[in-house]
């Protein structure tokens, strides 16, 4: 779908807002607004400051303000995993909803993306959660900037949809501006996501804590396919397929 601007907000590691300007689906300009982590309040920048900087950038690039996509990558995101017996849909759903309410009593204050799969005799539900106030903040920002059509997505979901490959079970590493994102697909289901500063130690820790959990504890499947958008230090010794990819292109 053609978009005039793609915004990418990240507060993992060094916080920033990327602004990518397009014309006929071709990237023509890109700018970054960086923030000091200490300046964020509950993970969000000062509204007036970010509005003025984005508005000035869009004016300087003569960007159209019809359609925008806003991608969120927030360290405050988290995942809740719930396993229930693999019984009929209605009963399984009821058990899952009861367990989720017990785990996250105030879950109505979160925006939730849910995926599910069957693993042996269990149904597994993955809830990726972020407080709604993050979407409300940036929805207000983009509306105030004068865009007519605004779509929101999570960085991990965008990467998952963009990383489809010939097998449905794989790990995808994506690096941009010093931030590494790890997306895990098990049998075509988004099963895990992690985002962290790009260091060898962090990569190895996430392989152990994220990928290995699904290999040995939950679905118990081998992850034989590993994809990355570039050569990445820390993946040495792992057979990876490099597929260059730039968000929005």
């Amino acid at each position: 779908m053609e978009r005039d601007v793609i915004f990418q907000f990240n507060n993992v590691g060094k916080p920033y807002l990327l602004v990518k300007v397009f014309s006929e689906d071709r990237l023509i300009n890109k700018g970054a607004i960086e923030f000091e982590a200490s300046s964020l309040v509950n993970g969000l920048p000062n509204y007036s400051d970010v509005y003025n900087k984005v508005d000035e950038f869009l004016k300087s690039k003569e960007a159209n303000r019809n359609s925008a996509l806003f991608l969120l990558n927030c360290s405050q995101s988290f995942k809740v995993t719930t396993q229930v017996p693999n019984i009929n849909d209605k009963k399984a759903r009821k058990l899952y909803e009861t367990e989720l309410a017990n785990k996250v009593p105030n879950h109505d204050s979160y925006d939730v993306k849910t995926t599910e799969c069957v693993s042996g005799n269990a149904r597994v539900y993955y809830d990726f959660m972020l407080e709604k106030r993050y979407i409300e903040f940036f929805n207000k920002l983009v509306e105030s900037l004068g865009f007519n059509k605004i779509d929101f997505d999570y960085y991990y979901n965008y990467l998952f949809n963009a990383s489809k490959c010939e097998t449905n079970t794989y790990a995808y590493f994506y690096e941009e501006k010093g931030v590494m994102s790890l997306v895990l697909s098990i049998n075509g289901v988004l099963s895990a996501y992690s985002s962290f500063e790009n260091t060898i130690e962090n990569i190895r820790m996430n392989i152990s804590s994220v990928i290995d959990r699904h290999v040995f504890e939950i679905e118990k499947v081998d992850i034989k396919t590993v994809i990355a958008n570039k050569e990445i230090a820390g993946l040495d010794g792992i057979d990876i397929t490099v597929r260059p990819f730039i968000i929005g292109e």
Side-chain angles (χ1 to χ4, degrees), residues 80 82 94-108 127 129:
V80 177
T82 304
K94 182 65 175 177
L95 286 173
Y96 148 69
E97 290 175 349
T98 299
E99 284 204 34
L100 180 62
N102 290 331
K103 291 176 179 177
V104 189
N106 60 335
H107 66 275
D108 288 341
D127 288 293
M129 310 183 76

Side-chain angles (χ1 to χ4, degrees), residues 20 24 39 54 57 66 72 74 80 82 132 138 140 143-144 149 151 165 167 185 189 194 207 227 233-234:
K20 297 179 178 179
E24 297 180 349
S39 72
V54 173
F57 177 79
N66 181 41
L72 288 171
C74 298
V80 177
T82 304
K132 292 178 180 177
F138 288 110
K140 176 184 175 183
E143 283 187 346
S144 298
K149 180 175 175 51
D151 291 317
C165 64
T167 177
S185 171
V189 174
S194 182
I207 289 174
I227 308 168

Side-chain angles (χ1 to χ4, degrees), residues 1-108:
M1 178 181 178
E2 184 174 326
R3 305 183 190 277
D4 296 315
V5 180
I6 293 180
F7 298 96
Q8 294 172 224
F9 176 73
N10 168 80
N11 66 9
V12 175
K14 175 69 175 177
Y16 60 80
L17 174 65
L18 287 182
V19 185
K20 297 179 178 179
V21 179
F22 292 80
S23 177
E24 297 180 349
D25 280 344
R26 183 174 61 88
L27 179 64
I28 57 174
N29 277 295
K30 179 172 71 172
I33 299 169
E34 298 188 347
F35 310 99
E36 293 298 327
S38 59
S39 72
L40 302 188
V41 178
N42 295 321
L44 291 169
N46 176 272
Y47 180 85
S48 297
D49 182 49
V50 70
Y51 171 87
N52 290 332
K53 288 180 178 178
V54 173
D55 185 53
E56 180 180 345
F57 177 79
L58 295 176
K59 286 178 179 175
S60 70
K61 305 304 179 185
E62 298 182 341
N64 291 325
R65 303 196 192 192
N66 181 41
S67 176
L69 170 64
F70 208 109
L71 302 176
L72 288 171
N73 189 41
C74 298
S75 61
Q76 293 77 14
S77 297
F78 62 95
K79 185 186 76 171
V80 177
T81 302
T82 304
Q83 297 188 58
V84 301
N86 186 19
I87 51 182
N88 72 66
D89 290 348
K90 187 174 181 180
K91 289 183 178 179
R93 189 80 186 179
K94 182 65 175 177
L95 286 173
Y96 148 69
E97 290 175 349
T98 299
E99 284 204 34
L100 180 62
N102 290 331
K103 291 176 179 177
V104 189
N106 60 335
H107 66 275
D108 288 341

Side-chain angles (χ1 to χ4, degrees), residues 79-188:
K79 185 186 76 171
V80 177
T81 302
T82 304
Q83 297 188 58
V84 301
N86 186 19
I87 51 182
N88 72 66
D89 290 348
K90 187 174 181 180
K91 289 183 178 179
R93 189 80 186 179
K94 182 65 175 177
L95 286 173
Y96 148 69
E97 290 175 349
T98 299
E99 284 204 34
L100 180 62
N102 290 331
K103 291 176 179 177
V104 189
N106 60 335
H107 66 275
D108 288 341
S109 64
Y110 292 88
D111 187 71
V112 183
K113 176 174 177 55
T114 304
T115 62
E116 63 179 281
C117 68
V118 174
S119 179
N121 295 321
R123 291 194 184 201
V124 185
Y125 296 85
Y126 299 112
D127 288 293
F128 300 85
M129 310 183 76
L130 179 68
E131 288 184 79
K132 292 178 180 177
R133 61 188 178 87
Y134 290 90
I135 292 178
E136 292 167 354
F137 179 95
F138 288 110
N139 188 65
K140 176 184 175 183
L141 173 69
V142 181
E143 283 187 346
S144 298
L145 288 167
F147 286 86
N148 298 316
K149 180 175 175 51
I150 308 164
D151 291 317
F152 279 83
D153 201 355
Y154 294 108
Y155 196 64
Y156 62 78
N157 193 55
Y158 185 96
L159 291 176
F160 171 72
N161 289 324
S163 64
K164 300 295 186 182
C165 64
E166 38 304 321
T167 177
N168 287 326
T169 298
Y170 58 90
Y172 181 51
F173 289 87
Y174 185 88
E175 192 278 335
E176 186 172 24
K177 281 188 66 65
V179 176
M180 181 68 69
S181 294
L182 165 59
V183 175
L184 190 62
S185 171
I186 305 291
N187 296 323

